[in-house]
Amino acid sequence: MAASEPKGEDQRSHTSERLSSSASENGDPPLCKSKLDPESQIPQGAINSDSESGDVGRQIELEAGNSIKYRTCSWQKTAALLFSEYICLAMMSFPWSYSILGLVPGLILTVFVAGVVLYTSLIIWRFCLRHPDVRDVCDIGQYLFWDSKIAWYFTAIMFLLNNTFIQALHCLVGAEWFNTVTGHGTCTIIFALVTAIISLVCSLPRTFSTLSQIATFSAFFTFISVLLAMIFAGIEGKPARYNDKDGPPVFLAFPAPGTTFVQGLNAFLNISYTFIGQITLPSFIAEMKEPRDFWKSVTAVTIAEIILFSLVGSIVYVYTGNQYMTTPAFGSLGNEIYKKVSFSFMVPTLIFLGVLYASVSARFIFFRIFDGTRHKGNHTVIGWATWTGILAVLWILAFVIAEVIPFFPDLLSIMSSLFDSFFGFIFWGVAYIRMRRADHGPDFYRKRGIRGWVGLIVNVFLIGVGFFFLGPGTYASVMAVILNYRAGTVGGPFSCADNGL
């Protein structure tokens, strides 16, 4: 048995050297060793790659002798990861969005955005089936834009910044929970630091298969949390800060007169940002043993999103009304016990979602450092020390970013407008067009008849939506910062001030 291990290692090293050599000859960037031309004609078999044939099967075979195996996620485990990513604290901001947009437009936009994100997720899935060597969205960025090294590095920068800012958000949200349940028991900086340390420890598992077990636990408690919030909002009678002057809660079917463009757009963007999470999907698909089953995972989570987001948004809004709305909506619960209990069930998600994005970023860096070496797929001191070190750096950066920027939540909205425009829409409209050109030529929309024209129009529309997020979306986010400064609601860096609900 001991004699067979070096043989397997030599075989893996030989294969890695062969792939690396081939990549170098083709002029790939050193950190992205695989190459596939999206314009080439792709056999139908490549679209149906699974664990028994094609590149996915070969990847699984290469991992067979490793002590750490990455392509091990079933569609159920991937669904658990998606549930933990999408079914999160952000859904408790839907009541606020509905209070700005009105119930009818709010519900319509919820279903519309969910449908668009499901459609683009399926485009990502199809693209990854064609390119089973894709490991993350950075590889896709290179493939989409003519194998450009600049595109790869540009995507990588946005990818890491996006993930690190989401980690930073969860440092602040963790501190928000601590302040809420302890009545601001100590300096908020300490609570944010404790959250970062806990998250670092929880980030240590190196495979998504292992993380999916924590994700299932997280998603279950999130469901309990929002269920309790809806029940408590209905039975408590009066929301927080209720007063006779403002009267009973008032809810509207349509926007209130005087609602500004910036307010309405920010409410719409809030709904969109909650749904947009396609940046992680290629990383999840890259660790599935049957990538062709991914559609089951993403469809299941989309259906759950529509049901939960609509119910939470509308029920809590109706019982809270425009006058007493807060975000997240836990702050609208007048009974302190109700608020603390329902918010506390959200704790696993507050931790795990930051953990998930940290893990995605860490494996992006780790795989580039140790690709083709025994440290990637085996328990080695160097491998584990590097993995832990990468995570530590990411969480330190996240903590510092969260504390040093006094208008961090608004800055996060600006970053979301900039990044989600590409990762939520533009990339995937381009991906559809590139795949159809590869299959049917430059005039694919003519050859495919009505399907071709509809597909082209829909995906050009998606690209247009992306530029809308990039332009007016960024404008609305910047204006929110300016208005908050004028209102004097922006604090200072490294503040101990209470941020509890």
Side-chain angles (χ1 to χ4, degrees):
M1 190 64 153
S4 66
E5 291 178 359
K7 181 178 178 181
E9 184 64 44
D10 290 342
Q11 183 179 1
R12 288 191 297 277
S13 298
H14 173 72
T15 303
S16 175
E17 290 169 4
R18 177 171 53 80
L19 291 174
S20 178
S21 174
S22 174
S24 298
E25 292 170 3
N26 287 324
D28 280 347
L31 297 181
C32 188
K33 296 183 177 179
S34 57
K35 179 177 180 179
L36 271 173
D37 181 8
E39 296 289 355
S40 63
Q41 292 295 328
I42 302 171
Q44 184 66 27
I47 297 179
N48 296 319
S49 294
D50 58 25
S51 62
E52 298 177 356
S53 64
D55 289 346
V56 174
R58 286 192 291 273
Q59 291 171 17
I60 293 175
E61 289 175 6
L62 289 175
E63 288 187 342
N66 294 347
S67 52
I68 300 175
K69 299 176 179 63
Y70 293 97
R71 275 217 181 256
T72 54
C73 271
S74 63
W75 75 264
Q76 293 92 340
K77 289 182 177 180
T78 304
L81 293 171
L82 292 175
F83 270 101
S84 67
E85 179 182 2
Y86 287 103
I87 310 298
C88 60
L89 177 64
M91 79 171 79
M92 294 304 291
S93 65
F94 272 61
W96 173 81
S97 292
Y98 289 2
S99 73
I100 302 296
L101 297 169
L103 267 180
V104 174
L107 290 170
I108 291 173
L109 286 174
T110 298
V111 176
F112 170 75
V113 174
V116 169
V117 171
L118 174 61
Y119 175 72
T120 55
S121 299
L122 294 176
I123 292 176
I124 298 169
W125 168 58
R126 280 294 178 184
F127 193 92
C128 289
L129 289 182
R130 288 171 177 251
H131 304 280
D133 57 328
V134 162
R135 290 177 290 191
D136 45 56
V137 74
C138 304
D139 288 343
I140 293 180
Q142 179 176 344
Y143 291 160
L144 290 181
F145 299 102
W146 305 281
D147 201 32
S148 168
K149 295 180 183 179
I150 295 175
W152 189 91
Y153 286 113
F154 178 71
T155 307
I157 291 170
M158 291 197 299
F159 176 70
L160 291 173
L161 281 175
N162 178 84
N163 295 353
T164 306
F165 268 75
I166 291 177
Q167 290 176 242
L169 173 65
H170 283 266
C171 288
L172 286 181
V173 175
E176 186 177 42
W177 176 79
F178 276 114
N179 276 321
T180 299
V181 298
T182 65
H184 190 43
T186 189
C187 176
T188 297
I189 299 173
I190 302 299
F191 285 146
L193 180 61
V194 170
T195 302
I197 294 172
I198 294 172
S199 299
L200 169 61
V201 174
C202 294
S203 303
L204 290 176
R206 277 167 57 176
T207 66
F208 285 135
S209 181
T210 303
L211 284 177
S212 68
Q213 300 171 22
I214 308 174
T216 303
F217 175 82
S218 169
F220 172 76
F221 277 89
T222 300
F223 175 75
I224 298 298
S225 175
V226 297
L227 181 64
L228 288 175
M230 288 187 288
I231 293 173
F232 291 156
I235 67 175
E236 70 174 355
K238 296 179 180 179
R241 293 172 298 280
Y242 179 88
N243 61 81
D244 293 332
K245 179 182 177 181
D246 291 327
V250 175
F251 65 92
L252 302 174
F254 295 94
T259 301
T260 66
F261 170 77
V262 171
Q263 290 173 327
L265 185 55
N266 276 328
F268 166 68
L269 293 175
N270 178 73
I271 292 174
S272 301
Y273 296 151
T274 305
F275 279 104
I276 295 172
Q278 298 98 311
I279 191 172
T280 63
L281 301 191
S283 301
F284 294 161
I285 295 171
E287 293 200 16
M288 291 186 70
K289 57 185 177 183
E290 294 288 357
R292 62 181 176 179
D293 288 340
F294 177 74
W295 71 270
K296 302 176 184 177
S297 308
V298 73
T299 302
V301 75
T302 301
I303 293 172
E305 283 179 299
I306 293 173
I307 295 172
L308 276 178
F309 293 178
S310 299
L311 287 175
V312 171
S314 55
I315 292 175
V316 176
Y317 171 46
V318 166
Y319 283 105
T320 302
N322 289 56
Q323 315 99 298
Y324 311 107
M325 184 57 61
T326 64
T327 181
F330 293 116
S332 299
L333 296 176
N335 186 301
E336 285 294 314
I337 301 298
Y338 289 170
K339 178 170 64 178
K340 292 179 180 179
V341 169
S342 57
F343 195 15
S344 293
F345 273 96
M346 189 65 71
V347 169
T349 294
L350 302 184
I351 298 296
F352 183 76
L353 189 52
V355 165
L356 188 62
Y357 278 90
S359 183
V360 169
S361 293
R363 81 194 341 95
F364 166 76
I365 299 169
F366 185 83
F367 286 0
R368 265 67 187 188
I369 295 174
F370 291 120
D371 196 22
T373 72
R374 66 190 184 92
H375 304 296
K376 176 182 174 182
N378 292 280
H379 297 291
T380 66
V381 174
I382 293 176
W384 275 106
T386 305
W387 175 258
T388 305
I390 292 170
L391 286 169
V393 170
L394 289 173
W395 279 111
I396 290 171
L397 285 174
F399 169 74
V400 171
I401 290 171
E403 294 300 325
V404 79
I405 302 172
F407 55 93
F408 178 79
D410 291 323
L411 179 62
L412 188 66
S413 295
I414 296 172
M415 302 294 283
S416 296
S417 298
L418 295 173
F419 297 157
D420 288 348
S421 59
F422 290 98
F423 296 135
F425 301 98
I426 296 174
F427 269 31
W428 318 126
V430 173
Y432 173 89
I433 294 171
R434 299 280 281 175
M435 287 191 291
R436 290 297 167 261
R437 282 172 58 92
D439 290 339
H440 305 287
D443 57 345
F444 67 90
Y445 47 91
R446 292 193 183 96
K447 292 181 179 179
R448 301 186 77 221
I450 187 66
R451 289 178 59 196
W453 281 104
V454 171
L456 178 65
I457 292 171
V458 167
N459 284 277
V460 169
F461 171 75
L462 284 180
I463 295 171
V465 171
F467 281 108
F468 178 80
F469 271 65
L470 189 61
T474 303
Y475 165 78
S477 299
V478 171
M479 283 302 300
V481 175
I482 295 173
L483 292 174
N484 284 337
Y485 263 106
R486 289 175 180 172
T489 58
V490 177
F494 286 98
S495 171
C496 282
D498 184 4
N499 70 339
L501 298 178

